[in-house]
Amino acid sequence: MRCLSHSYYMNVALELAKQGEYFVLPNPRVGCVIVKNGTIIGRGFHQRYGDRHAEVLAIEDAIKNGYSLKNATMYVTLEPCSHYGKQPPCTEAIVRSGIKKVVVATKDPNPLVNGKGIARLKSAGIEVIVGILENEAILLNKDFFKFIKTNLPYIAVKVAQSLDGKIASPGGERFSFNTEEENDFVHLLRQKYMAVLVSANTVITDNPMLNARFGKIIRQPARVVIDTNLKIPTNSKIVETAKDYQTFVVYSKKNEEKIKILSQSGIKLIEADESENGMDLRDALSKLAKEKIASILVEGGGNLNFSLLKEGLADYWYSFVFHTFIGGKATKTSVDGEGFLNSYPKLSNVKITRFKNSTLIEGDISYV
């Protein structure tokens, strides 16, 4: 029987894990395969937040296929959990199964698990190997890793701009060049994140819905408005549809009457600390993380983008650069704000996608 490498089987598990992308956050994407005598006998991936984990599904799959798990090897992209959460500990299912070896891509950064799952398996006499395709496994769950390690959501910023970096007219009217092709991409992108976030100024100027409406609809993200002074219009689409879509408004200056109106509309109000510039964005994001919002796509204006970059809070960047010019000294840009960015943030791991009327530039944001 041909024996393939650990990396081969872990790659299969990683590809399985990707299938849970839209549904598992704030849990990690996890894939698992079980191998015996060089044959994959069971497969599983975490399919939805709160549902059974990849390891249990792979064990069930192998049994359903008529295989004995005695002396089999399990490949899993993240350390198996050893605690009771929404599901019982996966380590106990593995111990009971008869599996003799578990190959783990990377440890789980969650303090409830970190190292404890591996220790439990070893204490049961199971051989454990850790670190196979570790970088790939961490990259797959970079939003989860940030969320767990920092108690902050993973923040991606999306902008649409002209070749000269402009996003709006001098009066603040947002230019829109999107074709069906870009719309389909952006609305699928929204669904990859747990929430879409804008400032109150964007709501006032553009009156957006911030939902998924074009192309393939898989799930609806939550909607978040950063609104320091609670100036969001009560007749805006965001407010009028708050009972249809999970909606948060984060504020720092109380207005009891407005809070009552927005609450009655179905909006969840979150109070964040004030700062000398208005709102403490780090505290606002921390409060959203407590609501289990693990990842956010920001579609705000230049001032919000500037603040996120200046405070080192943004992790990823998408720029749709449309093949046109706007010009004008007073025309708003994608990164406005007082002063400049001392750290000169840069993009790494850059990816470029070409559309008919635009070019998408995306990558990780580095502050070093």
Side-chain angles (χ1 to χ4, degrees):
M1 182 70 66
R2 184 166 64 104
C3 184
L4 299 171
S5 69
H6 288 326
S7 295
Y8 173 84
Y9 295 117
M10 192 61 77
N11 258 321
V12 175
L14 286 166
E15 288 303 312
L16 280 170
K18 293 175 184 177
Q19 294 184 46
E21 178 167 20
Y22 295 93
F23 302 106
V24 300
L25 281 173
N27 279 355
R29 306 159 191 85
V30 181
C32 179
V33 296
I34 300 173
V35 178
K36 189 170 183 179
N37 298 325
T39 298
I40 295 177
I41 62 172
R43 303 170 189 255
F45 67 93
H46 187 34
Q47 298 178 15
R48 189 178 296 273
Y49 176 68
D51 284 356
R52 288 171 298 171
H53 293 181
E55 301 94 317
V56 172
L57 291 173
I59 289 171
E60 291 178 355
D61 185 49
I63 293 172
K64 182 184 70 175
N65 293 332
Y67 291 100
S68 166
L69 292 167
K70 186 177 181 181
N71 295 326
T73 297
M74 172 180 282
Y75 292 83
V76 62
T77 59
L78 192 69
E79 177 182 5
C81 66
S82 54
H83 68 291
Y84 282 88
K86 289 185 178 295
Q87 295 291 327
C90 293
T91 50
E92 302 315 300
I94 296 169
V95 170
R96 292 193 302 268
S97 72
I99 287 170
K100 73 169 183 177
K101 181 189 295 185
V102 176
V103 183
V104 178
T106 186
K107 286 185 178 180
D108 189 332
N110 188 337
L112 294 173
V113 182
N114 194 0
K116 297 181 180 70
I118 291 168
R120 172 67 184 108
L121 294 175
K122 288 182 176 180
S123 72
I126 296 173
E127 180 185 355
V128 182
I129 298 173
V130 183
I132 303 298
L133 300 187
E134 182 171 23
N135 290 337
E136 290 84 346
I138 293 173
L139 182 63
L140 177 66
N141 281 304
K142 57 186 178 181
D143 44 8
F144 169 76
F145 273 68
K146 184 200 175 182
F147 175 64
I148 290 296
K149 289 181 175 181
T150 68
N151 294 315
L152 291 170
Y154 181 86
I155 303 296
V157 179
K158 193 270 300 181
V159 300
Q161 63 186 54
S162 63
L163 282 167
D164 50 339
K166 308 296 186 178
I167 63 170
S169 69
E173 180 183 354
R174 190 74 61 92
F175 289 103
S176 178
F177 302 106
N178 287 16
T179 65
E180 182 179 347
E181 189 178 25
E182 285 96 5
N183 278 334
D184 287 353
F185 182 94
V186 169
H187 284 247
L188 186 60
L189 184 65
R190 285 179 177 177
Q191 298 172 71
K192 291 184 178 181
Y193 293 86
M194 292 193 70
V196 178
L197 181 149
V198 297
S199 67
N201 287 336
T202 296
V203 175
I204 292 167
T205 303
D206 299 340
N207 195 20
M209 275 288 289
L210 299 182
N211 62 347
R213 302 184 303 280
F214 296 95
K216 186 176 182 180
I217 309 299
I218 302 171
R219 58 175 293 275
Q220 290 293 346
R223 306 177 303 179
V224 179
V225 180
I226 297 294
D227 188 2
T228 304
N229 300 299
L230 286 174
K231 61 183 182 181
I232 180 174
T234 55
N235 63 346
S236 63
K237 293 176 182 177
I238 289 285
V239 176
E240 290 181 342
T241 61
K243 290 183 179 177
D244 299 319
Y245 304 95
Q246 185 180 29
T247 306
F248 299 88
V249 169
V250 187
Y251 68 96
S252 56
K253 294 185 183 295
K254 285 188 176 180
N255 179 329
E256 296 298 343
E257 183 180 352
K258 194 69 170 285
I259 288 172
K260 181 179 179 180
I261 293 171
L262 295 178
S263 296
Q264 290 174 343
S265 298
I267 291 172
K268 179 156 188 177
L269 280 295
I270 297 175
E271 184 177 1
D273 293 341
E274 289 188 59
S275 71
E276 59 184 36
N277 297 318
M279 181 183 290
D280 184 333
L281 276 178
R282 184 174 292 272
D283 183 62
L285 294 174
S286 175
K287 298 280 176 61
L288 288 167
K290 289 178 180 178
E291 298 291 333
K292 294 189 175 180
I293 301 294
S295 67
I296 294 174
L297 180 66
V298 176
E299 296 192 38
N303 287 323
L304 178 57
N305 296 342
F306 180 89
S307 297
L308 289 168
L309 289 170
K310 188 172 184 179
E311 297 183 34
L313 295 169
D315 303 290
Y316 202 82
W317 190 270
Y318 300 93
S319 276
F320 273 98
V321 181
F322 286 85
H323 306 156
T324 188
F325 296 94
I326 295 174
K329 287 183 179 180
T331 314
K332 295 182 179 296
T333 69
S334 57
V335 184
D336 282 329
E338 296 295 328
F340 62 96
L341 301 170
N342 293 316
S343 60
Y344 300 118
K346 300 176 179 63
L347 288 192
S348 59
N349 303 315
V350 176
K351 178 183 175 183
I352 295 176
T353 305
R354 290 179 173 83
F355 297 90
K356 181 179 179 181
N357 296 320
S358 66
T359 300
L360 173 63
I361 303 170
E362 61 182 286
D364 298 301
I365 299 173
S366 170
Y367 295 92
V368 179

